[in-house]
């Protein structure tokens, strides 16, 4: 982690409208390339997950607050959207907005509490709230959420044409949403607000000395990150047409943390690359391992163990993640210094 | 009602066994140790295996599996925890979580995912006020109280305990006295892990062994450590007993809510007592 805000790397360069359009086009090209290799249906799930990873990157990578309860907001968005589709109207965009509103209100309320803490208590109290949310969905609210059985829902076409249950349309919808979230976060993190948020990560005390009300900034960031996570959750509901308490289970947090770390925390491109690598591991290892085990005629550990090993490797050797390591190498060549 | 109270104390006792190590690790090394759950679960599975070898002798299997887990705990301390001293909390959380994942998957690989039941080693029940109380639960509660007293004595009277207490206050100060703090930390770490294994084995006859048991108790133990104060030994004991009682009483009226209620209490504590932890 560099001490001063870095103005040379990809992460920080202010995004001019033209530059931003170029970056978005670049990512769109990358997504299309990826969809040539992977089934389109999977690719949609990938992109929904990318949005979640981007939202977590804002909270952890940019502001330095590691939460073990981010799935609460993903789940709130997923359930908010699903319940609106079941009990409200069938319009997908309004349902999505309803899910985001639920999560934003939840984050605004809980944020007043959790944002008073940082470090270990922050991670753990978020996990506690996540666990409570998981329980609420499973048991006291099971009258509306159907508890463990999950809730099926269906949405109308967007604008009468876009049928979310057709792979091509779903892919397009998810891609547009992902690019929009990326552009929003790109502008946000390069703005003065974003620089302040990064300064809070480096040294909150000094930011306070400069006269800023850091609590307000942290709270706003928490609400934004949670709302974007809810967008991802709502899209998950729309694309899958089904939600179960698994979407709000605290175990999902590790996936997100892992994806952010492997790509490189505090860098939006890192979040995308980390998300891709993670989804590839998660989707292909369970298929590859049994085949490999058959071939070698022995029992091999499941993918959780490999995940654990990769986490240890990241922490002990490649802390900056893939993008961080590449950037450091590039800067070393260009400027003679890795930072 | 008496049954509920005894049940509460039993849960509290197990939580205490588990949380002591967690609390000490946090207090001395400032590390949130998810690997504690791995040691706990692996200990129980080893115990079940040894039970098969030693013809269901509870005490012998307990001692042997405890001995077998000491090197495992030391390896975790030496190769993961020690490399994280003075690092940021986040990396410590992630690395120890990695260890927990590896341990859980290892258990699934060796023993499979089906839960194992363990028999009550005493099997007697004393009649009290018209109810049958299993002696075994009373033994658990008594052993937790004994442990609490023994730990108090250890930290008050022994030189190792004094050094650790001093490092809880100011580890740099202790280092300046020329003491190798890390050595004492690793002793404490192994001790804490052994207590977790002991708690897991004592709990096994009441519950069942399953690969994710480490995850489940970790969540509860974090609540204990936060409510009791990180690195505060008396606080950990009181918090474990109180939360055990919260679980038992909630469980009596609404069994699914037992775990969630613990987190509600934890949230209330955090709201009303600002944490000074970094």
């Amino acid at each position: 982690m560099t001490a001063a805000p870095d103005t040379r790397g990809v992460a920080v360069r202010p995004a001019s409208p033209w530059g931003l359009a170029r970056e978005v086009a670049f990512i769109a090209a990358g997504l299309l390339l990826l969809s040539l290799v992977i089934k389109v249906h999977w690719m949609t799930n990938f992109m929904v997950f990318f949005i979640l990873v981007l939202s977590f990157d804002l909270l952890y990578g940019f502001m330095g607050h590691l939460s073990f309860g981010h799935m609460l907001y993903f789940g709130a968005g997923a359930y908010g959207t699903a319940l609106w589709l079941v009990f409200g109207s069938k319009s997908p965009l309004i349902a999505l907005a309803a899910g985001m509103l639920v999560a934003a209100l939840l984050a605004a309320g809980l944020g007043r509490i959790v944002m008073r803490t940082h470090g270990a208590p922050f991670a753990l109290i978020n996990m506690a709230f996540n666990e409570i949310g998981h329980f609420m969905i499973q048991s006291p609210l099971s009258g509306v959420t159907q508890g463990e059985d999950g809730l099926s829902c269906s949405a109308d076409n967007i604008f009468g044409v876009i049928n979310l249950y057709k792979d091509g349309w779903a892919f397009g919808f998810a891609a547009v949403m992902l690019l929009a979230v990326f552009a929003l976060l790109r502008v946000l993190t390069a703005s003065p607000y974003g620089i302040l948020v990064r300064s809070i990560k480096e040294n909150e005390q000094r930011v306070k000395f400069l006269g800023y009300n850091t609590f307000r900034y942290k709270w706003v960031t928490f609400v934004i990150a949670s709302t974007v996570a809810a967008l991802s959750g709502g899209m998950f509901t729309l694309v899958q047409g089904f939600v179960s308490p698994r979407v709000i289970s605290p175990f999902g947090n590790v996936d997100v943390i892992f994806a952010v770390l492997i790509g490189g925390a505090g860098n939006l491109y890192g979040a995308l690359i980390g998300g891709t690598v993670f989804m590839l591991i998660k989707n292909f290892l369970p298929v590859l391992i049994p085949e490999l085990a058959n071939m070698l005629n022995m029992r091999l550990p499941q993918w959780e163990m490999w995940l654990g090993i990769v986490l240890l490797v990241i922490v002990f050797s490649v802390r900056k993640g893939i993008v961080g390591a590449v950037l450091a190498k590039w800067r070393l060549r260009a400027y003679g210094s890795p930072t | 009602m008496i049954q509920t109270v005894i049940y509460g104390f039993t849960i509290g006792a197990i939580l205490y066994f588990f949380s002591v190590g967690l609390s000490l690790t946090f207090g001395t090394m400032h590390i949130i140790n998810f690997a504690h759950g791995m040691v706990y679960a692996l200990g129980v599975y080893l115990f079940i295996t040894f039970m098969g070898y030693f013809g269901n002798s509870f005490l012998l299997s307990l001692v042997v599996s405890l001995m077998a887990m000491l090197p495992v705990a030391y390896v975790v301390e030496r190769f993961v925890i020690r490399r994280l001293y003075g690092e940021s909390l986040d990396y410590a959380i992630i690395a120890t979580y990695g260890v927990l994942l590896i341990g859980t998957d290892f258990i699934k690989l060796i023993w499979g995912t089906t839960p194992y039941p363990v028999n009550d080693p005493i099997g007697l029940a004393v009649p009290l006020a018209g109810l049958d109380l299993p002696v075994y639960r009373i033994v658990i509660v008594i052993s937790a109280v004994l442990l609490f007293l023994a730990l108090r004595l250890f930290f008050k009277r022994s030189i190792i305990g004094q050094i650790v207490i001093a490092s809880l206050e100011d580890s740099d100060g202790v280092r300046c006295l020329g003491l190798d703090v890390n050595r004492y930390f690793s002793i404490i770490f192994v001790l804490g892990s052994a207590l977790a294994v002991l708690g897991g084995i004592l709990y096994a006859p009441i519950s069942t062994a399953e690969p994710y048991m480490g995850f489940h108790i970790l969540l509860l133990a974090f609540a204990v450590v936060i409510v009791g104060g990180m690195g505060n030994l008396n606080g950990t004991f009181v918090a474990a007993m109180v939360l055990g009682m919260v679980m038992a009483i909630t469980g009596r009226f609404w069994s699914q809510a037992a775990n969630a209620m613990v987190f509600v209490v934890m949230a209330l504590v955090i709201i009303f007592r600002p944490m000074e932890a970094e």
Side-chain angles (χ1 to χ4, degrees):
Chain A
M1 305 297 142
T2 52
D6 183 355
T7 48
R8 293 177 305 208
V10 180
V12 185
R13 191 193 303 137
S16 69
W18 176 234
L20 186 65
R22 242 186 350 211
E23 285 182 33
V24 168
F26 175 69
I27 290 172
L31 291 175
L32 285 174
L33 269 179
L34 206 57
S35 66
L36 292 179
V37 195
I38 303 160
K39 276 185 238 157
V40 174
H41 176 67
W42 280 17
M43 199 55 212
T44 312
N45 292 341
F46 275 36
M47 287 187 292
V48 171
F49 181 69
F50 291 170
I51 297 179
L52 180 63
V53 178
L54 283 174
S55 76
F56 190 74
D57 201 20
L58 178 67
L59 190 64
Y60 173 57
F62 285 91
M63 202 168 62
H65 279 58
L66 179 72
S67 161
F68 262 74
H70 207 52
M71 292 308 276
L72 175 62
Y73 304 102
F74 178 84
Y79 267 99
T81 306
L83 289 175
W84 182 268
L85 285 177
V86 172
F87 297 107
S89 73
K90 289 273 179 200
S91 162
L93 290 183
I94 296 176
L96 207 53
M100 285 167 75
L101 187 68
V102 169
L105 290 176
L106 192 65
L110 293 183
R112 311 279 314 175
I113 301 166
V114 297
M115 272 302 152
R116 286 196 218 166
T117 60
H118 56 121
F122 179 79
L124 296 180
I125 192 172
N126 272 301
M127 188 160 73
F129 281 132
N130 198 162
E131 187 65 34
I132 294 172
H134 185 221
F135 162 73
M136 292 294 280
I137 293 289
Q138 261 185 330
S139 191
L141 297 178
S142 60
V144 278
T145 62
Q146 311 285 327
E148 282 290 355
D149 299 336
L151 194 65
S152 305
C153 52
S154 63
D156 290 338
N157 297 351
I158 303 176
F159 308 131
V161 242
I162 303 174
N163 183 350
L164 289 172
Y165 304 105
K166 291 244 166 65
D167 282 348
W169 282 119
F171 175 86
F173 173 65
V176 167
M177 283 297 190
L178 172 63
L179 293 175
V181 166
F182 179 85
L184 172 78
L185 290 183
R186 190 75 182 78
V187 170
L188 215 54
T189 51
S191 68
Y193 155 82
I195 291 170
L196 202 77
V197 165
R198 276 205 302 275
S199 316
I200 289 174
K201 174 185 181 177
E202 299 299 341
N203 194 331
E204 188 180 341
Q205 208 68 40
R206 287 191 192 169
V207 180
K208 271 189 193 153
F209 284 152
L210 291 175
Y212 291 102
N213 182 349
T214 52
F215 179 82
R216 196 178 296 161
Y217 281 88
K218 291 194 303 187
W219 181 76
V220 166
T221 312
F222 185 71
V223 174
I224 295 176
S226 304
T227 312
V228 175
L231 170 69
S232 168
M235 287 175 56
F236 179 86
T237 304
L238 288 180
V239 174
Q240 303 282 334
F242 177 75
V243 277
S244 68
R246 253 164 45 98
V247 299
I248 199 167
S249 156
F251 287 115
N253 291 306
V254 195
D255 300 2
V256 187
I257 295 170
F258 176 80
V260 165
L261 276 177
I262 197 171
N267 185 319
L268 296 177
Y269 286 97
L272 293 179
I273 290 177
T276 313
V277 171
F278 175 80
M279 284 305 258
L280 289 176
I281 293 179
K282 187 174 180 173
N283 283 295
F284 287 103
L285 266 193
V287 184
L288 285 179
I289 288 172
E291 280 183 17
L292 197 67
N294 265 340
M295 224 162 66
L296 299 172
N297 205 8
M298 58 188 276
R299 287 164 79 192
L300 283 179
Q302 290 299 305
W303 74 287
E304 267 178 342
M305 184 177 283
W306 303 115
L307 184 63
I309 292 171
V310 175
L311 281 178
L312 285 179
V313 170
I314 292 177
V315 168
F316 290 126
S317 354
V318 275
R319 267 204 191 161
K320 290 177 192 147
I322 297 170
V323 170
V326 171
L327 271 182
K329 200 154 252 176
W330 175 72
R331 283 179 197 143
L332 190 66
R333 226 177 38 204
Y335 304 106
S337 136
T339 49
Chain B
M1 196 60 214
I2 292 171
Q3 251 175 340
T4 312
V5 171
I6 291 286
Y7 185 64
F9 278 129
T10 315
I11 302 277
I14 300 298
L15 281 177
Y16 177 61
F17 272 105
F18 187 82
S19 310
V20 167
L22 214 57
S23 183
L24 282 174
T25 320
F26 191 84
T28 49
M29 308 172 212
H30 298 277
I31 284 172
I32 298 192
N33 180 21
F34 277 84
H36 214 53
M38 186 277 279
V39 173
Y40 169 85
L42 198 58
V44 173
Y45 271 92
L46 279 184
F47 168 76
I48 289 170
T49 312
F50 286 133
M51 280 285 268
Y53 291 147
F54 298 137
N56 284 343
S57 162
F58 190 88
L59 275 181
L60 187 59
S61 320
L62 191 153
V63 172
V64 173
S65 45
L66 209 55
M67 288 299 149
M69 282 312 289
L70 294 183
V72 176
Y74 181 73
V75 166
V76 171
E77 199 278 336
R78 179 67 190 78
F79 292 104
V80 179
I81 307 286
R82 194 174 293 182
R83 296 176 69 173
L84 295 166
Y85 288 153
E87 292 282 357
S88 91
L89 261 169
D90 312 345
Y91 290 122
I93 291 178
I94 293 155
T96 54
Y97 199 94
V99 175
L100 176 60
L101 280 178
I102 293 173
T104 307
D105 214 48
F106 183 74
I107 288 172
K108 284 202 269 186
L109 186 69
I110 305 280
W111 286 279
T113 45
T114 20
Y116 283 82
V118 180
N119 289 331
D120 185 333
I122 297 177
L124 285 175
V126 282
L128 186 76
L131 291 163
D132 281 341
L133 290 179
V135 176
Y136 184 66
R137 298 203 165 180
I138 298 168
V139 170
I140 292 182
V141 177
I142 291 172
S143 53
V145 174
L146 286 180
L147 173 70
F148 174 67
L149 296 176
L151 279 181
R152 267 188 78 103
L153 209 63
F154 172 73
F155 284 109
K156 275 233 153 62
R157 296 268 176 248
S158 77
I159 189 74
I160 298 177
Q162 285 288 298
I163 291 170
V164 171
I165 290 288
S167 338
L168 277 170
E169 297 276 327
D170 180 0
S171 65
D172 285 336
V174 176
R175 219 170 256 130
C176 290
L177 295 174
L179 292 166
D180 183 4
V181 184
N182 288 358
R183 224 184 76 215
Y184 294 97
F185 284 177
S186 65
I187 293 173
I188 284 301
F189 185 88
V190 173
L191 175 73
S193 301
L195 291 178
V197 172
L198 194 60
I201 292 172
L202 288 178
Y203 192 40
I206 303 176
S207 62
T208 49
E210 46 104 13
Y212 287 97
M213 60 194 295
F215 281 90
H216 297 308
I217 195 163
L218 258 177
L219 288 176
L220 295 173
F222 283 142
V224 169
V225 173
I226 285 205
V227 171
M230 294 177 170
N232 179 343
L233 286 166
N234 299 343
T236 306
F237 183 73
V238 176
M241 288 302 171
V242 168
L243 290 181
M245 202 53 82
V246 165
M247 276 182 79
I249 292 173
T250 318
R252 187 182 154 91
F253 297 107
W254 189 10
S255 59
Q256 297 101 325
N259 281 13
M261 194 50 92
V262 169
F263 298 114
V264 171
V265 173
M266 167 181 164
L268 289 175
V269 166
I270 291 199
I271 294 166
F272 291 110
R273 187 193 63 195
M275 299 289 290
E276 288 299 326
E278 177 57 13

